[in-house]
Amino acid sequence: MKKKLITLTLIAALSTTTTAFAAEIPRETTPLNSTEEQVCVVENLISDILDEVQAGKLGYTLAAGYANTRIRNAVMANQTDGNGYGILSPIRTERNPHYEG
């Protein structure tokens, strides 16, 4: 009886866990003049969008629009450590395999 309870508890615990992709922007796809800090800022802003694209839940056009909006809003709210939209926007689209359909 005790083994069955432990087995059922283990199965229940394993079945409720979720898988996270934690998609990152490949460094080889970023513009040559971008810094690691700038790439990290963009990843923090759009990582959930990249996860949805990687999972096939979001297409390129919609993802690019969401990412543009999120980056623009963060720049306007001064949440990008002084980096501007013109610097951060190319990082999210520059040959990024997460956005290729």
Side-chain angles (χ1 to χ4, degrees), residues 43-75:
E43 280 179 345
N44 287 335
L45 291 172
I46 67 168
S47 62
D48 60 325
I49 296 171
L50 293 175
D51 289 340
E52 288 185 23
V53 171
Q54 192 175 27
K57 297 178 183 178
L58 205 56
Y60 171 79
T61 305
L62 199 52
Y66 287 159
N68 270 335
T69 302
R70 192 165 299 165
I71 292 169
R72 189 179 323 109
N73 289 342
V75 169

Side-chain angles (χ1 to χ4, degrees), residues 31-50:
L32 295 176
N33 63 337
S34 62
T35 65
E36 183 66 24
E37 176 190 0
Q38 293 166 341
V39 175
C40 288
V41 168
V42 173
E43 280 179 345
N44 287 335
L45 291 172
I46 67 168
S47 62
D48 60 325
I49 296 171
L50 293 175

